[in-house]
Amino acid sequence: MTYAVQVEWNWLVAVYLFLGGMGAMVMAVSIFAHIYKIGGSDNGRLAWWGNWIGILMLAVGSAMLFYHLLNHLAVWRVLVGVFYKPDAWIAWGTWFIIFAMIGAFWYTLPLTQKMPVFENWRIYQWFKGLCQKYHKAIGWFTAINGILTAVYTGLLLQSFPAVSLWHNPGIPVLFTVSATSTAIATLLIVQYTILKNEQDRALRHLFEKTDAWLIGIEIIIIFTFLNYLLIGSEGGRVSYELLWGNPLWVWGFVVLGLIVPFIIEVGVLLKRIPSGALTVISAAVLVLMGGYLLRHFILAAGVYEYPW
């Protein structure tokens, strides 16, 4: 039996999976924070920034995947794929992304104070009022499609049975937890660098606590997932050796992207490490770095087994 590491899905796809899952969950988390006034504050500005950042992330990630296509004119087949190939997750994911972006734009309209040029248009005022009337329903529509997008990024890889590293139940769970963690890290950066609102202190504390829990869960998933590879198929064992034999995976992702931010966030929560913008932002940046490296190396260590 021989093995070949796949090279077709490169860093462009890793960026797509990273930005897609993170951007979608930024939308979902910021919308729920606004709808239910989590932390006791309005969170309207956070929702505005979160949705526009999410739209930008999904747009850039989708552009990466579009650029990666061998035949760019065949993109319409992805859009209609849900009708003739309903088991194609990339087709469903494309629609989840489109719906999430549309919903996020609608959700931001009532939160936008003034739009130059469009402000005097009657149709704009009418549509803005309609979005205000059904604001909560639009929020739920956007958040659901955002969550489905985050889950889809893992299901997309799981749908490839030829690669043992991808075709296992841990991938969708791992990618969803990672997407939520990186989304919260992004929102913490927004809170500490752009909003700087003392009234959202309770929400920031909740985000820090939640992210610490998510990183802890991610650490558990990573090690159980890799143990599954080691005792599974030969292809899985080869992927395991590729990952743990790469210093960037060990020191870049596992140590700097998981363990260090986990220690920082737990230390802040236990008041063993001084809390503040620099501490939280440093941990958040490491979480974002780890989120990308996770997807990069999961793709890079994908192994085909021959002759099977």
Side-chain angles (χ1 to χ4, degrees):
M1 183 175 288
T2 57
Y3 311 97
V5 179
Q6 73 83 28
V7 294
E8 288 79 13
W9 281 30
N10 54 23
W11 68 271
L12 290 169
V13 182
V15 171
Y16 164 68
L17 296 174
F18 172 58
L19 292 180
M22 177 172 58
M25 289 306 295
V26 165
M27 293 175 178
V29 173
S30 62
I31 285 173
F32 285 144
H34 178 238
I35 290 177
Y36 296 104
K37 293 180 171 51
I38 299 174
S41 56
D42 176 69
N43 302 320
R45 290 183 64 207
L46 180 69
W48 191 91
W49 279 100
N51 278 275
W52 278 113
I53 289 172
I55 290 172
L56 179 63
M57 288 179 174
L58 289 179
V60 173
S62 299
M64 292 290 185
L65 191 66
F66 179 75
Y67 178 76
H68 187 265
L69 283 174
L70 295 178
N71 180 7
H72 295 92
L73 295 179
V75 69
W76 67 270
R77 297 182 64 186
V78 178
L79 295 173
V80 300
V82 292
F83 300 106
Y84 69 88
K85 189 169 175 51
D87 62 334
W89 278 110
I90 197 166
W92 285 105
T94 301
W95 283 108
F96 294 154
I97 290 172
I98 291 173
F99 289 148
M101 292 176 71
I102 292 173
F105 174 71
W106 290 348
Y107 195 83
T108 59
L109 287 182
L111 301 175
T112 304
Q113 297 298 322
K114 197 170 183 179
M115 286 274 286
V117 180
F118 301 105
E119 199 67 32
N120 296 325
W121 292 12
R122 287 187 177 181
I123 189 170
Y124 170 77
Q125 292 295 340
W126 170 81
F127 189 69
K128 185 176 180 179
L130 192 66
C131 291
Q132 178 66 60
K133 183 178 180 180
Y134 298 104
H135 206 209
K136 188 173 182 178
I138 293 172
W140 270 97
F141 171 79
T142 307
I144 289 172
N145 278 282
I147 294 169
L148 290 173
T149 298
V151 176
Y152 138 77
T153 58
L155 291 174
L156 177 63
L157 285 189
Q158 192 190 32
S159 63
F160 287 85
V163 180
S164 298
L165 176 62
W166 301 350
H167 189 63
N168 70 78
I171 286 288
V173 179
L174 177 61
F175 276 26
T176 304
V177 172
S178 174
T180 308
S181 175
T182 52
I184 291 176
T186 301
L187 292 174
L188 281 169
I189 293 174
V190 171
Q191 287 176 304
Y192 277 99
T193 59
I194 299 175
L195 302 182
K196 298 180 180 178
N197 184 4
E198 284 300 316
Q199 294 180 351
D200 68 358
R201 183 179 299 176
L203 181 61
R204 292 200 308 260
H205 181 72
L206 178 62
F207 277 167
E208 292 164 14
K209 184 187 297 184
T210 303
D211 199 37
W213 275 101
L214 288 171
I215 297 173
I217 293 170
E218 192 175 349
I219 291 172
I220 295 172
I221 295 172
I222 282 291
F223 284 98
T224 54
F225 165 67
L226 292 175
N227 182 65
Y228 170 87
L229 289 177
L230 188 60
I231 62 175
S233 66
E234 285 295 302
R237 182 186 58 78
V238 173
S239 292
Y240 177 95
E241 293 173 352
L242 284 173
L243 289 173
W244 288 102
N246 192 317
L248 282 177
W249 166 268
V250 177
W251 296 103
F253 169 62
V254 176
V255 176
L256 289 179
L258 278 182
I259 296 175
V260 171
F262 179 72
I263 292 172
I264 292 174
E265 293 189 355
V266 171
V268 169
L269 292 173
L270 296 177
K271 299 182 179 180
R272 304 292 185 185
I273 297 177
S275 179
L278 181 61
T279 305
V280 175
I281 292 173
S282 298
V285 170
L286 290 175
V287 168
L288 296 182
M289 181 192 72
Y292 170 74
L293 289 178
L294 168 67
R295 289 152 181 83
H296 180 92
F297 285 110
I298 289 293
L299 290 179
V303 170
Y304 293 116
E305 302 173 44
Y306 293 101
W308 310 112

